[in-house]
Amino acid sequence: TGSMPLDDARLDAIEEALIAADLGPAVAGRIRDRLADVKFAKGIDEAGLRAAVAAEVTAVMAPVAKALQVTAFPRPHVILVVGVNGSGKTTTIAKLARRFTEADYTVMLAAGDTFRAAAIAQLKIWAERIGVPVISGEQGADAAGLAFEALKAARAAGSDVLIIDTAGRLQNKAGLMDELAKMRRVIQKLSPAAPHDTVLVLDATTGQNALNQIEVFRDIAKVTGLVMTKLDGSARGGVLVAAAERFRLPIHAIGVGEGMDDLRPFTAEEFADALTGTS
Amino acid sequence: MFDSLSDRLGSVFEKLRGRGALTELDVRAAMREVRIALLEADVALSVVKQFIDEVTERAIGAEVVRSVTPGQQVVKIVNDALVSLLGGDAPEGDNQLNIDVTPPAVIMMVGLQGSGKTTTTAKLAKFLTEKKAKKVLMASLDVARPAAQEQLRVLGEQTKVATLPIIAGQQPVAIAERARQTAKLQGFDVVLLDTAGRLNVDTALMAEMAAIAGATKPDEILLVVDALTGQDAVNVASAFKAEVPLTGVVLTRMDGDARGGAALSMRAVTERPIKFAGTGEKLDALEAFDAQRVAGRILGM
Ligand SMILES: Nc1nc2c(ncn2[C@@H]2O[C@H](COP(=O)(O)OP(=O)(O)OP(=O)(O)O)[C@@H](O)[C@H]2O)c(=O)[nH]1
Ligand SMILES: Nc1nc2c(ncn2[C@@H]2O[C@H](COP(=O)(O)OP(=O)(O)OP(=O)(O)O)[C@@H](O)[C@H]2O)c(=O)[nH]1
Ligand SMILES: [K+]
Ligand SMILES: [Mg+2]
Ligand SMILES: [Mg+2]
């Protein structure tokens, strides 16, 4: 189709597409208004319009795209991985471990989900596949104590990175959230700067509740960055746009599959293109 | 931000107190607020549109009872429509499992990755064993996720429900057939098939799911959905429905604080009852779905 004026019907269609991608009605409405403000004097064709929307999204997302880096000195760089149930924490840990080992860092894992059935076995299988050691205890053991032991072990082994798994928990469960705060305190007895990163793993299928998740996990578990999983499905994860506007937390990577190589860097352009169907 | 629909509508109707009936204009103004409230609750856009059309028609001309504000009247109309769509007026028994068949009854659990299938399998097994005095067998057909079969085995120990012995390397359809056969030979009343998580866009795994269903002819195929799900709910519901004959939905993580609009999307798209709600990680955290309560929650009341 050729160039056409940007009328209400076309703006409505854009707004609806953004809502369907989980940006939420407020953010979708704001992007619509910004587009309406631009005077496309000669009209604009469909491809151009998509690109204009993608540019709006890219502008919001570009400042938060930031890879995880191993910077701690002394080592190890401690990464605590948190999130609601089933979001993809354990799998993301496997993917991160894989990426770090490929970059020649030595990695150790800690099986800090001592609650869910076979959570320890799950992480152990990943560790074996990747070829990294894992510190684990018994199911039902104290997670904070396990994290403490793992940090001691990672130090003794001279590991560059220690990644700690945690049990999934919904952010409205105060008692379970407090356990994360306790985990931090216990780790900090050994290393005051740890955890150097606290990564919240979000599931792309999640809707507007992701915003509450970020807010509460940030306040209680001191989340420093985000990973979004399951972007290989039909969900577009648009709630990240609202999150970037509101919280400005770095987005480190995205999960695009169940395998250990299915982690990609987060880039604003690619995310915006996938969201708007530009590519 | 308005917290509840009542607040939103309160401001829309402030000037309209004491009117006899709602005009079309009043109703349309109110429905714009209802639309936003539903979208913020994650009801899928296509479902919202259809719902708004239906409710607008019902609300135009509705009598505003003198003692209530027009806002409350609209909330009531919206709420009643929601309850009815969520299955609130469905006949008693609609939410029951169809397991009183020639044994073994086969129940198959399907859904996206991490939605809660394995946990819900164990919860249902415990419920059927303890509350319905059924002899239950659980089998994990998940050969994809590390330690998935081990997870169900451990849950079997915790609930004291039998699990099908694991045979390394056996593929899902073969496991399903073995489960059904074992249940038949050993006199189980119900066999629960826990399947691997799969994306609706993964054609190979969707076909595998259809093959499992084809081989075992389940009496129940339950779509297990996370209550935190956003707009993707429609894609998921329509894709799974197109692939296998779903008989119901289980909504997990209702113990969270999500508005749970996915419930409405699921119901509208699958046209199947939501049979249970998962309300926690513990194995007794399974409840009958309560349409009234969920409607209130979606509207923030
Ligand atoms: N398609 C797809 N599946 C994923 C991705 N990440 C994780 N999964 C799957 O999602 C499911 C849950 O992943 P886990 O890593 O166990 O999630 P978790 O957050 O550790 O879960 P809990 O420990 O139970 O809270 C598994 O079936 C994973 O294979 C992804 O990026 N894409
Ligand atoms: N809070 C809460 N957690 C739940 C509920 N149902 C399941 N979970 C948790 O969600 C996570 C994933 O549950 P699973 O049963 O492993 O999910 P699944 O669908 O089998 O996952 P895959 O097999 O990887 O696709 C676990 O941490 C469960 O404890 C629920 O109703 N409430
Ligand atoms: K999920
Ligand atoms: Mg885990
Ligand atoms: Mg499972």
Side-chain angles (χ1 to χ4, degrees):
Chain A
T1 58
S3 247
M4 292 181 302
L6 187 52
D7 56 14
D8 273 350
R10 292 177 81 197
L11 286 167
D12 283 349
I14 288 173
E15 186 177 346
E16 293 192 346
L18 294 174
I19 288 171
D22 283 318
L23 276 84
V27 175
R30 278 205 292 282
I31 292 181
R32 174 211 169 100
D33 292 345
R34 285 207 288 274
L35 286 169
D37 278 346
V38 182
K39 300 287 174 258
F40 295 102
K42 293 178 185 146
I44 186 165
D45 63 8
E46 275 311 304
L49 189 50
R50 275 173 198 241
V53 180
E56 289 287 342
V57 174
T58 303
V60 177
M61 304 309 280
V64 296
K66 189 165 168 282
L68 265 182
Q69 267 161 355
V70 181
T71 54
F73 188 84
R75 298 279 204 245
H77 189 97
V78 180
I79 304 173
L80 184 67
V81 179
V82 301
V84 301
N85 311 82
S87 64
K89 295 173 293 299
T90 306
T91 311
T92 299
I93 288 170
K95 294 171 180 176
L96 288 172
R98 168 80 166 167
R99 229 195 53 201
F100 287 133
T101 51
E102 292 204 314
D104 282 335
Y105 291 111
T106 53
V107 178
M108 188 178 277
L109 304 182
D113 180 353
T114 54
F115 177 79
R116 210 207 62 214
I120 298 168
Q122 184 187 2
L123 191 69
K124 277 185 173 169
I125 291 174
W126 279 122
E128 197 178 297
R129 284 186 193 167
I130 298 156
V132 296
V134 54
I135 302 298
S136 63
E138 294 289 309
Q139 193 181 337
D142 174 45
L146 189 274
F148 185 86
E149 291 307 319
L151 180 49
K152 273 210 288 205
R155 264 195 186 166
S159 308
D160 294 313
V161 187
L162 171 68
I163 315 179
I164 305 172
D165 196 6
T166 61
R169 67 202 74 216
L170 294 171
Q171 74 275 16
N172 61 336
K173 308 255 168 108
L176 296 179
M177 293 304 292
D178 283 344
E179 279 181 12
L180 291 177
K182 177 182 165 196
M183 232 165 154
R184 292 178 58 83
R185 284 196 303 275
V186 171
I187 296 168
Q188 284 166 352
K189 285 184 189 157
L190 275 181
S191 170
H196 304 87
D197 285 288
T198 299
V199 175
L200 174 64
V201 176
L202 297 169
D203 181 334
T205 33
T206 304
Q208 300 307 303
N209 189 252
L211 296 171
N212 297 16
Q213 291 176 26
I214 296 171
E215 186 164 27
V216 178
F217 275 97
R218 181 198 60 180
D219 290 349
I220 298 175
K222 310 293 173 209
V223 162
T224 55
L226 312 173
V227 169
M228 179 166 269
T229 63
K230 308 183 195 176
L231 275 167
D232 46 327
S234 49
R236 296 277 74 101
V239 72
L240 276 185
V241 181
E245 282 193 0
R246 202 150 124 197
F247 304 107
R248 301 183 196 286
L249 280 168
I251 303 172
H252 298 308
I254 58 170
V256 292
E258 298 188 77
M260 60 188 173
D261 292 314
D262 295 326
L263 191 74
R264 301 273 178 278
F266 175 83
T267 73
E269 292 80 7
E270 280 176 29
F271 180 78
D273 287 351
L275 206 83
T276 53
T278 308
S279 53
Chain B
M1 277 288 170
F2 294 108
D3 222 351
S4 73
L5 184 62
S6 313
D7 294 343
R8 285 176 182 290
L9 294 181
S11 66
V12 172
F13 287 118
E14 236 158 63
K15 299 170 213 97
L16 306 179
R17 267 172 227 286
R19 286 263 200 96
L22 296 174
T23 69
E24 182 163 349
L25 226 60
D26 300 338
V27 170
R28 294 208 185 278
M31 286 306 153
R32 276 195 288 278
E33 297 299 324
V34 175
R35 174 178 178 276
I36 294 174
L38 293 177
L39 289 171
E40 281 177 350
D42 288 321
V43 181
L45 182 65
S46 55
V47 177
V48 171
K49 283 181 160 182
Q50 202 187 333
F51 180 80
I52 295 284
D53 286 349
E54 284 167 17
V55 177
T56 301
E57 211 162 296
R58 215 176 298 177
I60 290 173
E63 284 297 311
V64 181
V65 182
R66 289 236 165 256
S67 61
V68 298
T69 64
Q72 281 167 344
Q73 184 73 3
V74 173
V75 170
K76 186 179 177 328
I77 293 167
V78 170
N79 185 67
D80 291 351
L82 261 185
V83 172
S84 140
L85 247 179
L86 285 168
D89 344 310
E92 190 79 29
D94 207 40
N95 289 4
Q96 302 294 307
L97 290 173
N98 172 34
I99 50 170
D100 291 324
V101 296
T102 314
V106 179
I107 304 178
M108 179 177 171
M109 315 295 281
V110 300
L112 296 181
Q113 284 93 349
S115 63
K117 296 172 295 300
T118 306
T119 309
T120 305
T121 301
K123 288 178 180 179
L124 272 178
K126 184 175 160 70
F127 165 77
L128 292 174
T129 305
E130 294 177 3
K131 300 274 156 49
K132 303 277 173 188
K134 299 285 183 190
K135 191 178 170 205
V136 181
L137 176 69
M138 301 193 284
S140 167
L141 319 187
D142 187 348
V143 297
R145 167 172 168 172
Q149 292 180 297
E150 172 67 8
Q151 183 186 358
L152 191 69
R153 191 191 65 73
V154 172
L155 293 174
E157 276 179 7
Q158 288 176 8
T159 51
K160 300 188 182 68
V161 173
T163 49
L164 187 74
I166 299 166
I167 297 180
Q170 192 168 44
Q171 292 305 295
V173 175
I175 301 173
E177 283 170 337
R178 176 162 62 94
R180 201 174 182 291
Q181 198 58 24
T182 303
K184 199 168 171 181
L185 292 176
Q186 299 183 9
F188 285 94
D189 302 312
V190 181
V191 56
L192 283 158
L193 304 177
D194 174 29
T195 65
R198 64 201 75 228
L199 290 172
N200 46 304
V201 295
D202 187 329
T203 45
L205 282 183
M206 290 299 277
E208 179 204 83
M209 174 178 70
I212 297 165
T216 54
K217 302 273 178 292
D219 302 285
E220 289 277 353
I221 303 182
L222 301 176
L223 179 61
V224 180
V225 184
D226 184 344
L228 312 179
T229 306
Q231 296 287 320
D232 197 41
V234 270
N235 301 324
V236 175
S238 52
F240 276 84
K241 187 189 178 190
E243 203 70 36
V244 289
L246 296 178
T247 58
V249 174
V250 180
L251 212 58
T252 63
R253 306 207 182 102
M254 287 296 282
D255 48 325
D257 58 8
R259 285 279 175 84
L264 190 62
S265 310
M266 281 297 150
R267 195 44 229 221
V269 177
T270 65
E271 298 173 297
R272 295 291 176 271
I274 301 175
K275 297 199 170 180
F276 296 96
T279 55
E281 296 183 72
K282 303 241 170 71
L283 298 173
D284 52 7
L286 185 73
E287 295 175 8
F289 179 76
D290 183 341
Q292 193 78 47
R293 230 166 64 199
V294 173
R297 187 162 156 168
I298 291 175
L299 297 176
M301 301 191 301

